[in-house]
Amino acid sequence: MAAPVPSPCAIVHYHEISLKRGNRPLFLRQLQDNIRRAIGDLGPARLAQLPGRIMLDLTGHPDPGAVRDRLCRVAGIANVALAERTGSSLDALRQAVGRAVTKRAFASFRITARRAFKSFPLTSVELNRALGSHVLALRPDCRVDLDHAELDVRVEVLPSEAFVYSERRPGAGGLPVGSSGTVAALLSGGIDSPVAAWRMMKRGCRVVFVHFHSVPYLPDTSQKKARELVARLTQWQYFSQLFLVPFGEIQREVVLSVPPPARVMIYRRLMVRIAERLARRAGAPALVTGDSLGQVASQTLHNLACIDDAAGLPILRPLIGMDKLEITAQAEALGTFEVSIEPDADCCTLFVPAHPGTRMSAEEAAAAERGLDVEALVGAGVEGATAESFDFPPGAGIFPARSSRATPRGSAPE
Ligand code: ATP
Ligand code: MG
């Protein structure tokens, strides 16, 4: 095969996927699909699966920087670099390294070369030295610093081509969205639940969202926040579905027969039952919440167990061991924080007692629910739910055909 002419490309490395054995091709296929989707609207980019890495040929691409930024948000990617693709002869490598260091200000540098095959005539150490001397000849004002180099020029040599780059950005890590199945996240307008949903995306899940609102008892601010949060989170999973569940009437029913200290827990138990029905329709075998142990009364160990008692699906709580500062920092990095802190009154502020209980048992909850027609309330929530769809990049298309099952009866995705 002829050596490639020097051309621009992006090099994508993954970490966790490379630890998979038998299933690696499945994970890689999902990652490739997600990459194509994430950058599809930006311009032409041919994807090639190479040993241990994915290469995107960006020849003629109008905006390689935008491609890199999008790739940083693709779950499963450990790091991304815009690189020069060139031949794997020493001469070609010298020239590419020379180009990588021109027009850059640096006082110290190092070469980090890796050979993906052992028949290359030089060892990695010899290659580092040969290319390092070349840089020193070009830039005699600079010095080599292996530990604290200002510029790290990386060279990856494959049998018929090589990649040279000097800056790589961390990716999201984890597993590609879609490789771990679907989960249904209970999304409030707060800080925690969007972070919880995102953490599940990073574990390879596609997330469908369920938001409980109290329109017409409260303004529709919480729905607007939920939409904005889902729109932002959709950048990580390309299409999303949001179920908006009317909960105000259900809360009114609860207030009529449940004593104040038990109400929050009964609301929560009804929420998970409704979310469970919607989740099953969406093909999601688990629920997700933004609970963090001890954060508020409903999140003590006893009360979490009491909520679990009402659910027929596992409730995943990815933030359970995180404190508020850690969660807030993640929300800020994610870009959801600014939406979450917008003032609103969601259903959790409607009919909420001043002193909620912290130790409700499943038996006490069942007793408190005796005056309610739980099945009717859950049915009303499910039937009243409306579904909205989101896509990213905008216009790239909505759900795959499978998603039609996710639509609750009586409503249509927009
Ligand atoms: P967040 O936890 O998102 O910051 P919050 O702190 O106001 O919001 P909590 O009272 O901590 O909410 O509720 C715990 C969890 O219950 C939330 O993380 C979320 O998963 C779920 N939840 C609470 N309210 C709602 C709602 N209105 N719609 C959907 N899920 C909700
Ligand atoms: Mg919370």
Side-chain angles (χ1 to χ4, degrees):
M1 192 164 72
V5 259
S7 55
C9 70
I11 295 295
V12 169
H13 287 275
Y14 31 85
H15 169 63
E16 206 168 330
I17 296 175
S18 46
L19 307 176
K20 305 276 171 204
R21 283 172 181 269
N23 288 333
R24 194 183 308 152
L26 287 177
F27 285 91
L28 282 178
R29 207 169 309 136
Q30 186 72 59
L31 181 60
Q32 293 159 7
D33 286 351
N34 293 355
I35 287 174
R36 285 195 189 93
R37 167 80 183 219
I39 63 170
D41 63 324
L42 296 176
R46 193 182 54 83
L47 185 153
Q49 179 65 56
L50 305 177
R53 52 186 72 61
I54 288 171
M55 192 263 301
L56 290 160
D57 183 350
L58 299 178
T59 307
H61 197 284
D63 195 352
V67 170
R68 178 190 48 202
D69 293 348
R70 291 266 181 94
L71 292 174
C72 287
R73 291 191 167 181
V74 175
I77 291 181
N79 56 64
V80 187
L82 291 180
E84 181 177 304
R85 180 177 178 224
T86 189
S88 53
S89 70
L90 186 54
D91 193 43
L93 293 176
R94 278 206 186 98
Q95 290 181 35
V97 167
R99 283 187 289 271
V101 301
T102 48
K103 295 193 208 139
R104 299 189 75 118
F106 61 95
S108 62
F109 76 100
R110 62 167 289 162
I111 307 281
T112 308
R114 280 177 59 194
R115 305 167 307 160
F117 67 115
K118 299 298 168 201
S119 56
F120 189 75
L122 303 180
T123 66
S124 299
V125 175
E126 288 165 345
L127 192 52
N128 286 340
R129 288 208 184 109
L131 296 173
S133 332
H134 182 62
V135 173
L136 285 173
L138 293 172
R139 299 283 294 264
D141 53 316
C142 298
R143 64 191 163 77
V144 173
D145 184 340
L146 295 183
D147 298 320
H148 305 288
E150 279 175 37
L151 190 72
D152 186 353
V153 184
R154 293 177 188 265
V155 179
E156 300 181 13
V157 190
L158 274 60
S160 58
E161 59 191 340
F163 307 103
V164 176
Y165 53 89
S166 56
E167 190 198 343
R168 72 180 188 187
R169 301 257 175 104
L175 296 170
V177 168
S179 61
S180 301
T182 303
V183 292
L186 284 79
L187 184 78
S188 70
I191 296 168
D192 308 325
S193 45
V195 176
W198 175 73
R199 290 185 75 107
M200 296 313 298
M201 291 177 192
K202 272 201 357 149
R203 296 313 303 153
C205 291
R206 174 163 307 287
V207 179
V208 298
F209 298 92
V210 184
H211 174 70
F212 295 88
H213 65 83
S214 302
V215 174
Y217 297 95
L218 290 173
D220 65 354
T221 334
S222 81
Q223 291 185 58
K224 288 186 176 143
K225 284 175 73 175
R227 284 191 191 103
E228 182 57 32
L229 290 167
V230 172
R232 293 185 184 209
L233 290 166
T234 302
Q235 293 179 44
W236 299 82
Q237 66 170 2
Y238 322 117
F239 46 88
S240 303
Q241 198 158 41
L242 166 65
F243 295 103
L244 296 162
V245 183
F247 202 62
E249 197 60 49
I250 296 172
Q251 283 180 288
R252 259 169 50 97
E253 292 282 331
V254 171
V255 167
L256 291 178
S257 72
V258 175
R263 283 178 194 161
V264 172
M265 291 299 293
I266 302 308
Y267 298 154
R268 286 276 185 273
R269 284 166 59 96
L270 288 165
M271 281 184 185
V272 297
R273 289 181 178 112
I274 294 166
E276 174 182 340
R277 297 264 181 100
L278 295 170
R280 289 187 190 279
R281 289 186 183 185
L287 303 177
V288 177
T289 68
D291 295 314
S292 151
L293 189 60
Q295 189 186 81
V296 290
S298 59
Q299 294 167 35
T300 62
L301 274 185
H302 282 91
N303 282 354
L304 291 176
C306 179
I307 294 169
D308 283 1
D309 171 73
L313 291 177
I315 302 179
L316 308 179
R317 298 183 169 95
L319 311 187
I320 197 71
M322 290 173 74
D323 65 36
K324 198 76 189 182
L325 290 178
E326 293 166 322
I327 299 169
T328 301
Q330 281 215 331
E332 281 172 339
L334 199 54
T336 52
F337 182 75
E338 60 192 37
V339 181
S340 296
I341 58 171
E342 282 169 24
D344 83 295
D346 85 341
C347 60
C348 297
T349 54
L350 186 66
F351 310 130
V352 167
H355 301 291
T358 56
R359 282 178 79 97
M360 181 179 268
S361 67
E363 293 71 33
E364 287 164 331
E369 285 167 353
R370 228 161 265 145
L372 297 170
D373 186 343
V374 170
E375 182 48 40
L377 293 178
V378 171
V382 172
E383 295 309 315
T386 54
E388 296 181 8
S389 299
F390 297 73
D391 62 351
F392 182 85
I398 310 294
F399 261 48
R402 192 168 59 79
S403 72
S404 52
R405 282 187 290 128
T407 309
R409 259 176 286 145
S411 72
E414 288 185 345

